[in-house]
Amino acid sequence: MEEIKWRNILTGDIPIYAHRKNDNEKETLEEHIVRCEKYLQKIWEEKGLETILKNIYNQFFQKEDLMPFFIEIFQSAVYFHDMGKLNPKFQWEKMNNEKLKRDKLKSLSGSDHSFLSSIIYLDYYTSLLEDKEFRSEINCERKEKKILEMFVLLGAYTIMKHHGDLDKLEKLIEEIVSPNMEDLIKELQEEKLKGYKGLQYFNTENYGTKANLYREYRIDHFSKEQDMIYIVYLRLLYSTLVSCDYYSTTEYMNGLERNEFGSGVSLECLKEMYNNSKLIKEIRKYEYEKQTQGIKRSLNIGINGLRCEMFLEAEKNLKREEKDNIYFLEAPTGSGKSNIAMNLSFSLLKEKEKLLYIYPFNTLVEQNITNLYNIFGEEVVEKYVAVINSITPIKEDKTINEDSTKYYTKALLDRQFLNYPFILSTHVSFFNLLFGNKKEDLFGFLQLSNSIVVLDEIQSYRIDIWGEIIEFLQIYAKIMGMKIIIMSATLPHLNVLDSEGRKVVTLIQNRDLYFRNPIFKDRVKISYELLEEEADIDKLYTHVKKSSLKKKKLLVTFISKKNANKFY
């Protein structure tokens, strides 16, 4: 990690506090930042943040020279995020710091610190970018300066919002160049803030001009793909900043130190158990017999033979296109898509990567957790797998004393930041993670790095925005190092939906071989006999009662819960 001299802006001549347990025990701002540094170092290594930032950097810059500074402005957003606790009212109102009791900044809303932190960060890095000698030192040209300033704006915005939700991206610059900013700069210029060395660049004369330049930048000066990458950067920075802040604060307040963050556990044992399961051994036996005895594809190999063929074809095509990021598994209902997807995800699995299985409904999540119990056993599933949805209780860590504060604190942090190696969740949770602007949606964004995602029954999501969704998935996968397997029996080829024509690997090349096979094509027969006369609940009851004598299971669906309850 790059050395960042954040101490340059603190005078050290007066105690500045970040947190307190009581009147006598307080954490200094410097101690809090040092803890944030420690957690950023851990997250940096575990999540491969340098690689992700390199992926972002390469979309904007043609040379390597500016990469160290690009990394610095990202890391500094974490270190500067609480600098605003220099606010004297925060010190005496929240920290009971008697040495600052009479001081107050009129332009700030009470004890707020996020707003002040953002302007300290913005001023510090604007001063560097306005310094011709510094720009010459890092070999930064005029066009590159503008791009770097936009990333500095994103950092300042993230700091401003780190205790709340993100707003619409187009409002980003308006918030940072608001009159409140100008008022605060004027006040900081006129009155020395204790503990702070003072503004490096901004003053009442130059800020108005700089604000107008910021307004001119907007985001529309860049390509559509770059716009989307800005959003990825913003979400990544927010998630990183908040993670470091929460873990550091929790360590100080509760003594809970974290050393891994959801992807520090190897899932090789699950992969080995899966490959040794009865089902996979049967498929490998079929594969061996096909190779040694020359079994040919035909329409008469039975449903299990067709399932084996699809399993092996998808696996072969995945291995051939392993360097790609998004794969489309199109297979008929009843063809074993879930098993194929599990094999594909384990095939992509490298050391300490994460698995996310995403389903449209909670019932499918519950069904698939049951399948995992059958394959791996309850003890293994309880250790590695977490269900994240609105109805499942928070997963608990049984290795910690149940009566301790740490027990509940760790459980909550794991849930908030998705610190699990294998997650089963719903489309709602996953798309909130990708696109939501609530702070709770963004906490776990870091967990997408180097993840393997299986999206099941994706056709259930809104078709009118599928073009935008597939474009964003392509960008997320490219930048975050993700592998995404999309499954459906009814969705058209995904390449059609991406206006940029980015590649989506089709894992089943000859779909008609399976979809037109009578085993799948004629598996469902439709009868319209009940539509030939007016709907009547008593007639439906008679029909259901009669039909129930012929079949093992019978499913009746209703549009409303009211009618379902009435029929029941």
Side-chain angles (χ1 to χ4, degrees):
M1 293 175 67
E2 301 295 323
E3 182 182 357
I4 299 171
K5 299 178 178 63
W6 52 264
R7 291 181 177 86
N8 286 350
I9 66 171
L10 299 175
T11 63
D13 58 357
I14 187 171
I16 301 295
Y17 301 111
H19 301 98
R20 71 184 177 106
K21 295 181 183 180
N22 49 57
D23 289 342
N24 298 318
E25 192 173 354
K26 301 172 186 176
E27 178 191 42
T28 66
L29 177 59
E30 184 171 335
E31 287 170 340
H32 177 59
I33 298 172
V34 168
R35 283 194 173 93
C36 287
E37 279 186 308
K38 178 180 73 173
Y39 280 103
L40 181 56
Q41 176 73 51
K42 293 179 179 182
I43 291 170
W44 191 267
E45 293 174 0
E46 182 175 314
K47 302 300 181 185
L49 291 187
E50 186 157 347
T51 299
I52 295 173
L53 287 175
K54 181 72 173 176
N55 293 338
I56 294 172
Y57 178 90
N58 287 339
Q59 303 304 310
F60 295 90
F61 302 98
Q62 304 299 317
K63 59 191 180 188
E64 296 292 321
D65 306 49
L66 300 172
M67 185 64 187
F69 184 72
F70 186 73
I71 289 174
E72 180 178 327
I73 61 177
F74 181 93
Q75 294 175 343
S76 281
V78 176
Y79 306 146
F80 278 61
H81 79 276
D82 269 350
M83 285 294 180
K85 288 184 176 180
L86 290 159
N87 179 356
K89 191 164 186 183
F90 177 90
Q91 285 299 307
W92 61 259
E93 193 174 86
K94 301 292 185 182
M95 297 292 107
N96 199 21
N97 189 343
E98 294 289 337
K99 294 188 177 182
L100 293 168
K101 195 151 190 176
R102 292 188 182 88
D103 295 352
K104 181 180 180 181
L105 289 172
K106 297 175 183 178
S107 56
L108 290 179
S109 176
S111 59
D112 172 59
H113 68 276
S114 301
F115 187 52
L116 178 56
S117 298
S118 67
I119 204 167
I120 290 173
Y121 171 88
L122 187 63
D123 171 72
Y124 184 86
Y125 280 101
T126 299
S127 72
L128 290 179
L129 289 172
E130 292 294 337
D131 186 334
K132 293 181 180 179
E133 187 175 330
F134 176 79
R135 291 203 310 274
S136 176
E137 183 183 322
I138 65 173
N139 191 20
C140 176
E141 298 172 11
R142 180 179 293 274
K143 183 178 180 181
E144 295 164 335
K145 173 178 176 281
K146 272 199 165 188
I147 297 171
L148 287 171
E149 284 184 321
M150 182 60 79
F151 280 102
V152 169
L153 280 171
L154 289 170
Y157 178 72
T158 305
I159 291 170
M160 184 192 296
K161 293 290 188 176
H162 80 271
H163 283 299
D165 304 332
L166 292 180
D167 211 327
K168 292 182 178 179
L169 199 58
E170 57 264 27
K171 293 184 179 180
L172 162 67
I173 297 170
E174 282 80 354
E175 293 212 38
I176 290 177
V177 300
S178 66
N180 282 347
M181 282 285 198
E182 196 161 358
D183 292 342
L184 180 56
I185 287 168
K186 183 178 180 181
E187 195 169 4
L188 289 175
Q189 186 183 359
E190 292 173 349
E191 185 176 341
K192 186 74 172 178
L193 184 62
K194 290 179 181 177
Y196 177 47
K197 289 185 178 179
L199 295 170
Q200 309 290 310
Y201 173 77
F202 287 136
N203 55 59
T204 51
E205 288 75 34
N206 69 17
Y207 185 72
T209 303
K210 196 67 182 174
N212 287 330
L213 288 175
Y214 287 148
R215 287 189 184 95
E216 288 176 13
Y217 287 173
R218 300 271 171 194
I219 304 285
D220 48 270
H221 281 256
F222 304 96
S223 69
K224 181 180 180 182
E225 184 166 314
Q226 286 175 327
D227 292 351
M228 296 161 78
I229 293 171
Y230 272 125
I231 295 173
V232 178
Y233 180 88
L234 184 65
R235 300 178 78 80
L236 178 69
L237 179 55
Y238 186 99
S239 182
T240 304
L241 190 162
V242 173
S243 296
C244 293
D245 190 22
Y246 270 58
Y247 295 136
S248 302
T249 304
T250 300
E251 181 182 321
Y252 172 70
M253 299 299 289
N254 299 320
L256 177 65
E257 183 175 3
R258 302 302 301 266
N259 292 305
E260 60 88 14
F261 309 92
S263 52
V265 177
S266 174
L267 295 175
E268 283 296 316
C269 61
L270 271 68
K271 183 176 180 178
E272 185 177 348
M273 290 176 70
Y274 173 73
N275 287 330
N276 288 322
S277 66
K278 182 179 177 182
L279 176 59
I280 299 305
K281 284 182 176 180
E282 287 294 325
I283 293 173
R284 296 306 175 195
K285 180 183 176 184
Y286 175 93
E287 180 183 25
Y288 175 78
E289 290 176 350
K290 178 183 175 181
Q291 291 171 350
T292 57
Q293 300 174 26
I295 298 175
K296 296 180 180 179
R297 287 183 175 185
S298 74
L299 298 179
N300 302 315
I301 58 176
I303 190 169
N304 287 332
L306 284 172
R307 287 168 176 161
C308 289
E309 287 289 342
M310 294 190 74
F311 180 100
L312 296 171
E313 181 181 348
E315 182 181 70
K316 180 186 72 174
N317 290 330
L318 177 78
K319 288 179 179 177
R320 189 178 66 237
E321 307 283 358
E322 202 168 8
K323 292 184 179 179
D324 283 286
N325 297 319
I326 299 190
Y327 306 90
F328 182 42
L329 177 60
E330 185 185 24
T333 303
S335 60
K337 284 197 302 293
S338 296
N339 182 52
I340 295 173
M342 185 171 292
N343 177 60
L344 297 174
S345 59
F346 279 131
S347 297
L348 291 168
L349 188 68
K350 304 294 187 292
E351 187 179 0
K352 295 183 179 179
E353 288 179 334
K354 292 175 68 74
L355 294 178
L356 289 88
Y357 284 16
I358 311 299
Y359 304 95
F361 312 114
N362 285 326
T363 50
L364 289 178
V365 173
E366 293 168 4
Q367 175 184 318
N368 281 276
I369 196 73
T370 301
N371 292 339
L372 293 180
Y373 282 141
N374 294 334
I375 296 170
F376 303 112
E378 187 170 344
E379 185 177 342
V380 172
V381 172
E382 288 296 322
K383 181 178 180 180
Y384 292 104
V385 183
V387 174
I388 305 298
N389 59 16
S390 58
I391 62 174
T392 304
I394 292 176
K395 188 178 179 66
E396 300 169 3
D397 187 347
K398 302 298 183 182
T399 64
I400 298 179
N401 182 355
E402 191 172 340
D403 295 329
S404 71
T405 303
K406 292 181 181 179
Y407 175 83
Y408 297 104
T409 302
K410 184 178 185 300
L412 178 59
L413 283 175
D414 285 343
R415 176 61 182 81
Q416 286 177 314
F417 293 95
L418 307 181
N419 287 329
Y420 314 106
F422 193 155
I423 293 173
L424 271 66
S425 192
T426 61
H427 288 180
V428 172
S429 298
F430 182 68
F431 283 106
N432 281 343
L433 188 63
L434 294 182
F435 307 117
N437 69 328
K438 302 294 183 185
K439 63 179 181 179
E440 294 82 4
D441 299 333
L442 291 151
F443 281 174
F445 187 83
L446 269 173
Q447 303 297 346
L448 294 178
S449 65
N450 299 310
S451 62
I452 298 163
V453 180
V454 175
L455 287 172
D456 194 12
E457 304 292 355
I458 201 63
Q459 75 282 351
S460 63
Y461 216 71
R462 283 176 53 188
I463 193 67
D464 58 318
I465 58 172
W466 244 109
E468 288 76 15
I469 289 174
I470 192 62
E471 287 184 66
F472 263 103
L473 289 179
Q474 291 278 15
I475 294 296
Y476 280 124
K478 176 181 178 180
I479 300 300
M480 300 293 289
M482 300 165 64
K483 300 287 187 181
I484 303 175
I485 300 167
I486 300 174
M487 300 196 297
S488 177
T490 58
L491 202 66
H493 198 292
L494 298 178
N495 286 336
V496 177
L497 298 173
D498 184 0
S499 62
E500 301 296 324
R502 300 178 188 89
K503 185 178 179 183
V504 174
V505 177
T506 302
L507 294 173
I508 301 299
Q509 299 290 332
N510 188 358
R511 67 181 301 279
D512 287 351
L513 182 70
Y514 306 103
F515 278 88
R516 293 185 180 277
N517 191 298
I519 290 175
F520 292 122
K521 184 167 73 89
D522 299 332
R523 196 162 181 251
V524 176
K525 295 181 179 179
I526 300 175
S527 171
Y528 298 100
E529 60 181 282
L530 292 179
L531 298 180
E532 294 173 357
E533 49 189 87
E534 189 175 346
D536 181 275
I537 198 163
D538 292 320
K539 291 177 182 176
L540 178 60
Y541 167 72
T542 302
H543 177 82
V544 168
K545 185 177 180 181
K546 181 180 178 181
S547 301
S548 66
L549 301 175
K550 302 175 183 178
K551 304 290 181 183
K552 289 183 179 180
K553 293 182 180 179
L554 190 67
L555 173 67
V556 185
T557 65
F558 294 85
I559 293 174
S560 68
K561 289 182 180 180
K562 180 180 178 181
N563 284 337
N565 284 325
K566 183 179 180 182
F567 183 77
Y568 177 75

